[in-house]
Amino acid sequence: MFTTRPTLQGTHGMAATTHWLASAAAMAVLEDDGNAFDAAVAAAFTLHVVEPHLNGPAGEVPVVLAPAGSAPRVLCGQGPAPAGASIAHYTSLGLDLVPGTGPLAAAVPGAFDAWLLLLRDHGTKSLADVLKYAIGYAEHGHPAVERVGATVETVRELFETEWTTSAEIYLPGGRPPAPGALLKNPALAATWRRLLAEARAAVPAGAVGSERREGEIAAARRVWREGFVAEELAAFAARPTMDTSGERHTGTLTGADLAGYTAHYEEPVTHTWNGWTVAKAGPWSQGPALLQQLALLDDDFGTPGSGTEYASAEYVHTLVEGTKLAMADREAWYGDAAGADVPLRTLLSAEYNAGRRALIDPAHASYELRPGRPDGRTPRLPALATGPARRGTTAAGAGEPTVARDGATRGDTCHLDIVDRWGNMVSATPSGGWLQSNPVVPALGFPLGTRLQMTWLEPGLPNSLTPGRRPRTTLTPSLALRDGVPVLAFGTPGGDQQDQWSLHFLLAVALREKFRGGYDLQGAIDAPNWHTESFPSSFYPRLMDPGSLVLESRFDDTVTAGLRRRGHRVTVAGPWSEGRLCAVARDPETGVLSAAANPRMMQGYAVGR
């Protein structure tokens, strides 16, 4: 079939990210005998610089990793709500939702510590080795992609009147950066240089080799949590800042919150469908929703003669209706497992999903939000999420801008997938701390994040705002195994759309025949995609659009007509508007590596040899 690019293949290493410079940085590390985990950290810090509208150092990241010969693990880089972030505090300010911007929405930053933990435990390079690419692009500049300037333009007035520290970096000469203009962030480069210097000074002079390497990483983590970085972040969180409520608020993040946080490892949640076992982060993410979507499918789904042949109206209808059911369960049951009783085993069980599958009417689209009753329990949905006042499409520029009904992408998140010649594999979805989330901390060169906007100010819900509890995030990298062996890492930006686009991609890989000794990754990424907003948005102002379905115009007209006959409120978007997937793969029999990246938005690239 026609694809926009070839699926890359080789034996040395493969990297696919949402920006070509991050992919190139990852490949440079692989060429320098680094492994996939070294390369992932280098790519991640590069993404902070070259995609500042999509992520930053004070954001968050879930990572699914599979060291060669080992089972997958999850590295959680999602920080919790600060100790002072109680529902009572927010409602006392007259709020019924956590604002989509500003310090009140800031969770404890988690990404930095997660990346350094990954580097310490699974990498081989020094911190300086992996940071040098980000420092270079921040100090000497990089050509700005079009959407950096477009994003800045949407918040230009705010930057000029309120968030003036952001204007100093992102309105050079009083204007948003033009496409291809050299964009620098000297404050960020200086932050990393100071952090490296303090980390080196903290290690005894006689330390060499791994002792010095690990000592510097440990010292850098302390500087972030307790040193100058923590001091600047806490001080800026205490500044009154204009947010989406239209008022100026101070945040709840303190130095004690920063000092008390460390990233950690967890066991993944898994589900097997037709020989493919998919590993995801737990219900503090939306990861299990992809597993529920798979659990809702019959074993012959998408196969010839099944009545749901690949890419037919029946195929898309079944997937969309399953998505609605899985996302309704997400809303009713998912939350931080440390503080919420999530009936995950039942939600992924064959018996439960057989009952849920029976709710899918092959002839009619559902307009209802229908969570299930796992173990006979009564679901509870947020009142604000389901009332008539919350129906509609997500406003541009509010919360995390993702994909509007017209298919226009206004920014959101990043993604990276890397595999090396030894068989190490990693998938990660960095996000948060983007330039439109909070004012830039001038001494650091980056802002705080806004992940608390995903929690509810209504008590008793799995995702109620609770001090010390992680907000339920939409970030959801994926790693798939065949016969217990990791073979595929993939994921995408896109907020609530992530596990919709990922489902379509995974099925395209699984249902199509192999080619050239590997999986057709680029064909699966290029295939026309879709999304629905028939459930509450995870982002401020938490809207939903029942019955909505956005299709790329490359779907056959008969598919569009068939979906409209079933009652879907179809919006036909641009031909290349849905999805920003990346993927890498490894054939365990031959060791052949593959990679592909999204052509949409002309930004993501795969590299390898």
Side-chain angles (χ1 to χ4, degrees):
M1 65 168 291
F2 168 80
T3 59
T4 57
R5 309 165 179 172
T7 295
L8 303 185
Q9 290 191 298
T11 57
H12 181 81
M14 293 282 164
T17 82
T18 48
H19 195 291
W20 61 83
L21 291 179
S23 299
M27 196 64 208
V29 172
L30 294 174
E31 294 286 12
D32 194 35
D33 288 329
N35 65 21
F37 309 114
D38 297 314
V41 179
F45 280 98
T46 300
L47 287 171
H48 296 160
V49 180
V50 300
E51 291 191 327
H53 57 311
L54 307 179
N55 78 139
E60 45 275 327
V61 62
V63 182
V64 186
L65 62 143
S70 301
R73 301 184 75 189
V74 169
L75 174 56
C76 174
Q78 174 58 62
S86 67
I87 290 176
H89 174 65
Y90 285 66
T91 55
S92 72
L93 299 173
L95 299 170
D96 61 357
L97 290 172
V98 177
T101 61
L104 267 181
V108 180
F112 178 87
D113 199 63
W115 289 122
L116 265 63
L117 193 62
L118 181 69
L119 183 67
R120 184 197 73 182
D121 294 343
H122 299 285
T124 64
K125 295 292 188 180
S126 70
L127 182 57
D129 285 338
V130 296
L131 267 177
K132 65 184 179 182
Y133 307 96
I135 292 173
Y137 287 125
E139 191 166 63
H140 304 297
H142 62 94
V145 295
E146 179 180 356
R147 285 166 181 80
V148 171
T151 301
V152 173
E153 185 61 44
T154 67
V155 287
R156 178 175 182 166
E157 182 178 355
L158 178 68
F159 281 14
E160 291 174 336
T161 59
E162 296 280 347
W163 296 10
T164 54
T165 58
S166 299
E168 292 172 9
I169 294 175
Y170 294 112
L171 289 173
R175 298 183 301 275
L182 205 61
L183 180 61
K184 300 180 181 181
N185 190 339
L188 179 57
T191 294
W192 295 146
R193 290 194 181 281
R194 179 178 173 183
L195 181 136
L196 287 172
E198 293 190 12
R200 290 191 192 102
V203 180
V208 295
S210 61
E211 182 184 2
R212 169 158 290 278
R213 174 183 173 276
E214 293 177 13
E216 289 181 357
I217 293 171
R221 294 173 73 196
R222 287 194 300 273
V223 171
W224 177 276
R225 292 198 302 263
E226 303 171 21
F228 79 94
V229 177
E231 292 170 2
E232 293 289 347
L233 290 175
F236 220 74
R239 287 182 45 168
T241 299
M242 178 66 69
D243 58 40
T244 50
S245 73
E247 303 289 338
R248 296 180 183 88
H249 293 113
T250 58
T252 60
L253 182 70
T254 67
D257 295 314
L258 290 156
Y261 174 77
T262 58
H264 64 277
Y265 295 100
E266 299 177 352
E267 292 300 310
V269 181
T270 63
H271 180 77
T272 300
W273 181 80
N274 277 356
W276 289 83
T277 299
V278 182
K280 303 286 283 186
W284 54 269
S285 74
Q286 74 173 350
L290 176 62
L291 306 183
Q292 282 192 260
Q293 289 167 292
L294 290 171
L296 285 163
L297 301 178
D298 292 319
D299 288 344
D300 66 348
F301 177 79
T303 60
S306 65
T308 53
E309 285 78 3
Y310 177 78
S312 64
E314 294 80 9
Y315 176 93
V316 177
H317 171 77
T318 303
L319 293 181
V320 172
E321 294 304 295
T323 293
K324 295 174 186 177
L325 294 173
M327 292 301 189
D329 277 342
R330 182 196 75 168
E331 203 57 55
W333 301 109
Y334 287 21
D336 188 350
D341 181 12
V342 183
L344 199 55
R345 183 183 298 273
T346 300
L347 289 170
L348 297 178
S349 68
E351 180 180 12
Y352 176 79
N353 283 288
R356 299 286 278 160
R357 190 182 305 121
L359 297 176
I360 297 177
D361 184 339
H364 296 94
S366 171
Y367 279 51
E368 300 176 49
L369 193 64
R370 300 181 290 177
R373 299 173 60 91
D375 305 322
R377 296 166 57 179
T378 301
R380 181 178 174 189
L381 293 169
L384 282 176
T386 54
R390 296 295 172 189
R391 302 206 168 194
T393 55
T394 302
E400 176 184 288
T402 53
V403 179
R405 288 189 65 202
D406 61 2
T409 305
R410 299 179 176 89
D412 52 84
T413 292
C414 303
H415 187 79
L416 63 89
D417 298 300
I418 302 174
V419 62
D420 63 30
R421 64 188 185 276
W422 300 287
N424 299 303
M425 188 175 289
V426 59
S427 179
T429 309
S431 187
W434 45 73
L435 65 85
Q436 64 272 32
S437 63
N438 261 294
V440 166
V441 180
L444 301 178
F446 59 85
L448 286 164
T450 56
R451 196 56 60 174
L452 293 187
Q453 67 177 288
M454 309 184 81
T455 63
W456 294 103
L457 298 181
E458 183 178 343
L461 301 171
N463 194 32
S464 297
L465 177 64
T466 307
R469 184 188 293 183
R470 292 168 291 183
R472 189 205 72 215
T473 178
T474 55
L475 307 176
T476 176
S478 302
L479 197 146
L481 303 85
R482 296 297 301 267
D483 301 320
V485 179
V487 297
L488 176 65
F490 62 99
T492 178
D496 294 306
Q497 285 81 41
Q498 288 178 34
D499 278 323
Q500 301 181 61
W501 293 337
S502 290
L503 173 70
H504 192 63
F505 164 81
L506 177 62
L507 291 173
V509 170
L511 294 172
R512 291 174 172 179
E513 294 182 0
K514 285 189 175 185
F515 85 127
R516 293 194 329 203
Y519 299 111
D520 184 9
L521 303 185
Q522 194 65 52
I525 288 173
D526 287 356
N529 219 319
W530 52 268
H531 83 269
T532 179
E533 298 173 6
S534 294
F535 48 86
S537 167
S538 296
F539 300 94
Y540 183 92
R542 312 305 294 268
L543 303 178
M544 62 183 292
D545 193 13
S548 65
L549 177 57
V550 180
L551 298 175
E552 286 185 328
S553 61
R554 291 181 295 125
F555 274 98
D556 190 274
D557 289 345
T558 60
V559 175
T560 305
L563 292 166
R564 283 180 167 145
R565 279 198 306 273
R566 289 169 172 82
H568 295 279
R569 295 176 46 248
V570 175
T571 297
V572 177
W576 297 95
S577 56
E578 293 285 314
R580 288 186 64 203
L581 282 142
C582 301
V584 298
R586 180 178 184 272
D587 187 322
E589 295 181 2
T590 65
V592 170
L593 311 177
S594 304
N598 173 51
R600 300 162 178 89
M601 298 173 63
M602 304 295 287
Q603 195 165 313
Y605 264 87
V607 297
R609 71 168 178 89

